């Protein structure tokens, strides 16, 4: 009996409970990096669409059941995780769409759907059933079909329906708890831009309120940064990222956003290949678990971590009426310059436009690799303004190309300090540290990010690192309006 009691105490402590405390210190979360299986390609029939859905939901079932066995409370799946982003237009994706009820309707598909609804909505029914059977919150990305009529809606498309890239949240009882339509589409001709751009969040039975976001949303102020300003400290984030080194890489953006915003982010991405991969669980810039597929073949991976509860007071009473943060619109002028490092000098600087950039460094071994300092000021492809100051590894001696993953370096940096001063003349910036090693992963430790000086006219940021034991691929400051 004494042994049983001791074991029970150990279990309770492990679960984050202490004597006299009702609030746990953490919750257990899972994210899945997953590349969907496609047996058919557009155009497809309804039968073929159902087969695509059925095939991938079988894998979702395995991940949900395995996560549940590990006492996981919430699991997040990637954007396009059920059917991939290969659809050229709305008609091509139509057989894969389902009518997703609003959260206000309190629909529980596994309990409420009749046989016809089950047949027409296999994703909603199956995920609802799995969430309920496994007592776990489930977040999936799917296509929401909403019919419309020009008589009632002057914006109704000519084809008579809207299709939305949609995150759907299921409670641990199978209830459709929330849905969010992606507002920052990335060349997605198969989907419509939603008229309602209100950021969405949901509450859980384990005392955490989550904000929702999909892929390209992380670049913009709305919806995720708006939710953070209103007190949300935890985010479920589904993505099919397009890695464009050295500027935008999945895990570096996820880590940088978590660090600067001081939040938890459960990021689930595609495991398709190096171009689209990148997932992780982050807490205030700390990497709890992370995965990146730096190869050319599909690779799936589930990550599970105990995530600290940052806001034990909750946010139920904080969010009443959300007002959007303003997006700053500017011209499409861009200035990009690079300067190759001369290892004998131990510093390099580059100033263009409203960006001043300086790198101080020391090396203990100088091989044949070429590194360069790059500065960007203005409009960056595909559709946003930014300022960028960073070091990256070149693939060629003349540095006309960025090195592709994996990167094997023969230059070891003992100490490295990157300082970037960004003007505020176009507006306030949110600046993220963007740091990755040779295999595309964010560095877990060994670096520090600070705001050195913040004046009316400009802000000076700095990243410092020492004792890094891996090849640097990217070491940068990325500022967004």
């Amino acid at each position: 009996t004494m042994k049983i009691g001791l074991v029970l105490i150990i279990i309770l402590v492990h679960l984050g409970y202490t004597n006299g405390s009702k609030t746990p210190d953490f919750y257990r979360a899972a994210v899945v990096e997953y590349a969907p299986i496609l047996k058919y390609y557009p155009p497809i029939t309804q039968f073929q669409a159902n087969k695509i859905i059925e095939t991938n939901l079988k894998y979702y079932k395995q991940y949900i059941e395995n996560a549940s066995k590990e006492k996981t409370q919430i699991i997040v799946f990637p954007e396009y995780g059920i059917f991939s982003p290969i659809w050229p237009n709305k008609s091509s994706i139509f057989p894969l769409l389902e009518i997703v009820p609003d959260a206000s309707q309190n629909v529980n598909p596994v309990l409420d759907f009749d046989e016809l609804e089950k047949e027409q909505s296999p994703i909603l029914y199956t995920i609802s059933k799995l969430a309920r059977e496994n007592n776990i919150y489930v977040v999936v990305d799917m296509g929401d079909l909403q019919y419309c009529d020009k008589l009632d809606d002057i914006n109704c498309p000519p084809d008579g329906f809207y299709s939305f890239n949609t995150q759907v949240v299921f409670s641990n009882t199978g209830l459709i708890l929330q849905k969010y339509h992606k507002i920052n589409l990335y060349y997605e001709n198969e989907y419509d831009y939603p008229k309602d751009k209100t950021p969405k969040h949901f509450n859980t039975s384990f005392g955490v309120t989550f904000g929702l976001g999909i892929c390209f949303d992380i670049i913009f102020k709305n919806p995720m940064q708006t939710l953070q300003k209103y007190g949300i400290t935890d985010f479920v984030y589904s993505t099919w990222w397009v890695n464009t080194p050295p500027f935008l890489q999945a895990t570096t953006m996820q880590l940088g956003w978590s660090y600067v915003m001081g939040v938890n982010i459960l990021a689930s991405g595609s495991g398709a290949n190096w171009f689209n991969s990148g997932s992780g669980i982050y807490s205030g810039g700390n990497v709890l678990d992370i995965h990146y597929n730096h190869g050319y073949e599909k690779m799936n991976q589930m990550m599970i971590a105990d995530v600290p509860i940052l806001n034990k007071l909750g946010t139920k009473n904080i969010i009443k009426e959300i007002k959007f943060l303003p997006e700053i619109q500017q011209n499409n002028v861009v200035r990009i310059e690079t300067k190759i490092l001369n290892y004998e000098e131990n510093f390099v600087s580059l100033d263009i436009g409203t960006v001043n950039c300086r790198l101080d460094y020391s090396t203990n071994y100088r091989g044949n690799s070429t590194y360069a300092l790059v500065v960007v000021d203005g409009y960056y492809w595909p559709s946003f303004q930014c300022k960028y100051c960073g070091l990256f590894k070149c693939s060629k001696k003349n540095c006309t190309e960025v090195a592709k993953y994996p990167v094997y370096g023969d230059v070891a940096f003992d100490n490295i300090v990157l300082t970037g001063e960004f003007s505020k003349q176009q507006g306030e910036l949110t600046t993220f540290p963007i740091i990755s090693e040779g295999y595309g992963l964010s560095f877990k430790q060994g670096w520090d990010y600070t705001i050195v000086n913040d004046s009316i006219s400009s802000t000076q940021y700095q990243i410092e690192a020492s004792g890094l034991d891996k090849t640097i691929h990217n070491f940068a400051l990325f500022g967004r309006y």
Side-chain angles (χ1 to χ4, degrees):
T1 305
M2 186 174 179
K3 288 182 178 179
I4 294 173
L6 182 60
V7 170
L8 180 61
I9 291 172
I10 292 172
I11 291 173
L12 289 173
V13 170
H14 174 69
L15 289 175
Y17 292 94
T18 56
N19 187 30
S21 174
K22 295 181 180 180
T23 305
D25 295 325
F26 61 83
Y27 61 92
R28 182 161 290 180
V31 300
V32 180
E33 176 147 307
Y34 179 75
I37 297 171
L38 292 183
K39 295 181 178 179
Y40 308 99
Y41 295 87
I44 59 172
T45 65
Q46 188 61 58
F47 173 82
Q48 291 170 332
N50 290 343
K51 283 296 181 183
I52 291 172
I53 292 169
E54 179 184 351
T55 298
N56 290 290
L57 288 185
K58 284 181 180 178
Y59 287 93
Y60 274 37
K61 180 177 185 290
Q62 293 175 14
Y63 286 118
I64 291 170
E65 290 176 345
N66 290 337
S68 179
K69 289 175 183 176
E70 297 294 325
K71 308 300 181 186
T72 303
Q73 293 156 289
I74 185 169
I75 184 170
V76 184
F77 288 93
E79 181 185 28
Y80 290 104
I82 298 173
F83 44 70
S84 190
I86 62 168
W87 315 99
N89 49 48
K90 288 173 64 179
S91 62
S92 67
I93 202 174
F94 182 82
L96 293 157
L97 304 177
E98 298 182 13
I99 298 174
V100 182
D102 287 329
S104 60
Q105 296 176 260
N106 292 317
V107 174
N108 191 320
V110 71
L111 300 180
D112 301 334
F113 278 8
D114 58 29
E115 291 304 315
L116 180 60
E117 289 171 315
K118 292 177 187 178
E119 182 181 336
Q120 293 176 338
S121 304
I123 299 174
L124 293 175
Y125 176 75
T126 302
I127 299 298
S128 172
K129 185 172 185 289
L130 289 169
R132 186 177 182 87
E133 289 176 348
N134 292 278
N135 189 32
I136 188 171
Y137 287 78
V138 182
V139 182
V140 299
D141 178 86
M142 59 185 292
D144 184 9
L145 168 65
Q146 298 294 324
Y147 289 104
C148 58
D149 191 316
K150 279 285 187 183
L151 295 176
D152 302 318
D153 180 4
I154 60 171
N155 297 312
C156 180
D159 48 24
F161 71 94
Y162 291 102
S163 62
F164 299 115
N165 184 340
T166 308
Q167 265 183 323
V168 184
V169 182
F170 297 83
S171 76
N172 58 340
T173 64
L175 182 73
I176 295 177
L177 194 58
Q178 187 57 277
K179 74 171 181 179
Y180 160 68
H181 294 153
K182 183 180 180 181
I183 65 175
N184 297 294
L185 297 177
Y186 184 87
Y187 298 107
E188 298 167 70
N189 295 325
E190 71 274 33
Y191 286 128
D192 293 298
Y193 282 92
K195 191 165 48 178
D196 179 10
K197 293 179 169 55
T198 305
K200 297 297 176 68
H201 65 283
F202 64 94
N203 301 314
T204 62
S205 58
F206 50 91
V208 177
T209 299
F210 290 90
L212 290 90
I214 303 175
C215 201
F216 208 31
D217 286 336
I218 203 170
I219 295 290
F220 300 90
K221 289 184 178 179
N222 298 309
M224 296 171 67
Q225 195 172 332
T226 296
L227 288 167
Q228 186 267 347
K229 294 294 184 185
Y230 276 81
I232 297 291
T233 57
D234 295 78
F235 290 83
V236 290
Y237 177 68
S238 303
T239 179
W240 187 291
W241 194 259
V242 177
N243 290 310
T244 56
F247 301 104
L248 301 177
Q249 299 157 252
T251 60
T252 60
M253 278 302 303
Q254 294 159 13
L255 175 63
W257 202 86
S258 170
Y259 187 101
V260 172
M261 297 298 161
V263 300
N264 297 326
I265 181 168
L266 315 180
S268 169
S270 163
N273 49 48
W274 73 268
F275 190 54
N276 298 118
S277 177
S279 305
I281 302 175
Y282 313 86
S283 179
N286 294 309
V287 178
L288 304 183
D289 207 340
I290 194 169
H291 177 74
Y292 175 74
N293 174 11
H294 57 78
Y296 291 86
E297 303 297 328
K298 293 180 179 180
M299 183 186 298
N300 301 328
Q301 179 77 28
M302 181 166 71
M303 291 144 273
I304 298 178
D306 293 328
V307 185
I309 293 180
L310 302 178
N311 184 359
K312 294 188 178 182
L313 298 177
T315 52
K316 290 182 179 180
N317 298 321
I318 294 177
I319 301 175
K320 293 180 180 177
E321 183 180 350
I322 292 178
K323 296 180 181 178
F324 297 112
L325 293 174
E327 300 281 358
I328 296 177
Q329 302 297 325
Q330 298 172 327
N331 59 44
N332 60 357
V333 176
V334 62
R335 284 168 285 191
I336 302 177
E337 290 187 20
T338 60
K339 184 179 286 188
I340 295 174
L341 270 62
N342 178 347
Y343 298 124
E344 300 300 325
E345 295 181 351
N346 289 335
F347 81 92
V348 61
S349 63
L350 187 59
D351 304 335
I352 65 167
T354 60
V355 177
N356 301 320
C357 186
R358 178 184 172 103
L359 180 75
D360 294 275
Y361 61 93
S362 61
T363 63
N364 61 18
Y365 177 72
R366 301 166 186 180
N368 296 318
S369 294
T370 302
Y371 279 85
L373 190 69
V374 60
V375 174
V376 178
D377 185 20
Y379 183 90
Y380 174 70
W381 178 90
S383 57
F384 56 85
Q385 298 282 338
C386 74
K387 297 184 187 296
Y388 183 94
C389 159
L391 170 75
F392 72 89
K393 190 175 187 299
C394 309
S395 64
K396 298 180 179 180
K397 283 294 180 182
N398 61 3
C399 219
T400 56
E401 293 181 8
V402 180
K404 299 292 191 299
Y405 300 123
V407 175
Y408 303 102
D410 52 7
V411 176
F413 291 94
D414 288 331
N415 187 65
I416 183 168
V417 179
L418 179 73
T419 306
E421 184 174 2
F422 296 162
S423 168
K424 291 182 179 179
Q425 69 182 43
Q426 295 103 338
E428 289 288 336
L429 284 163
T430 301
T431 299
F432 308 98
I434 303 294
I435 305 171
S436 67
E437 45 95 341
Y439 282 90
L441 289 173
S442 302
F443 280 102
K444 293 185 179 181
Q445 55 190 9
W447 59 275
D448 190 36
Y449 166 81
T450 55
I451 296 177
V452 179
N453 183 48
D454 190 14
S455 68
I456 296 175
S457 59
S458 67
T459 304
Q460 191 176 65
Y461 308 89
Q462 192 171 87
I463 319 175
E464 183 172 3
S466 59
L468 298 177
D469 59 352
K470 294 183 176 66
T471 300
I472 290 178
H473 181 270
N474 190 19
F475 194 86
L477 295 160
F478 173 71
R480 274 286 292 129
Y481 292 103

